[in-house]
Amino acid sequence: MADLHLVIQKANASDLVMPSKLTTILAVGGLSLITANQGSGLHTLVKKYDMGVLVDAENPQALTEGVRSALQNDHSLIRQNARAYAEEHLSIRRVMARYEETVVNC
C-alpha cells in the first residue's frame, strides 16, 4: 500500500466512469489524490463521501499542492471513508444483494 495513490484524469474524462484503479484504492482504504473538476460526476461522488483528496484536473500547480498537502496532513478519516464506501457500494456481496432485490421487485 502506498502513502498516496494518484488518480489522474483528463478534465473531459471525469464524467465517464469511475476509474477502475480507484475501486481498488478505496477497497484497501488508501488515500487517493484525484484530479476531477468541480461539477463532474467523479468530483461530486468523491466529495459526497469524503473519500479522497480532490484537485482540479489538468492543473499542475494544484496537483503539486495537493500532493504536498496529502502527505503532510492526517487523512485517516478519508481513508476510513474510502474503505466504508467500498464495503457498502462496491463489494460483490452488496452489489449482488441489491441486484437480487431489484430483480425480485420488478
Side-chain angles (χ1 to χ4, degrees):
M1 187 159 138
D3 291 332
L4 180 64
H5 303 268
L6 300 179
V7 181
I8 308 298
Q9 295 287 107
K10 294 253 186 214
N12 60 357
S14 56
D15 259 342
L16 301 176
V17 294
M18 179 182 285
S20 60
K21 65 182 165 184
L22 182 56
T23 60
T24 303
I25 297 165
L26 296 172
V28 299
L31 177 61
S32 55
L33 184 135
I34 303 160
T35 62
N37 291 334
Q38 197 167 13
S40 68
L42 181 58
H43 186 281
T44 301
L45 181 69
V46 171
K47 185 172 180 144
K48 177 180 179 180
Y49 292 97
D50 191 23
M51 58 183 180
V53 176
L54 290 161
V55 297
D56 290 337
E58 299 183 35
N59 182 333
Q61 183 178 353
L63 181 61
T64 300
E65 291 170 11
V67 169
R68 185 176 296 116
S69 172
L71 294 175
Q72 291 176 347
N73 297 305
D74 177 24
H75 293 290
S76 55
L77 181 59
I78 289 176
R79 291 175 184 272
Q80 291 170 7
N81 292 343
R83 176 67 183 159
Y85 180 86
E87 289 174 352
E88 180 64 28
H89 298 280
L90 302 175
S91 76
I92 190 69
R93 183 176 45 85
R94 297 282 181 134
V95 169
M96 291 309 294
R98 282 193 296 274
Y99 172 76
E100 290 172 359
E101 288 173 13
T102 302
V103 169
V104 169
N105 292 328
C106 284

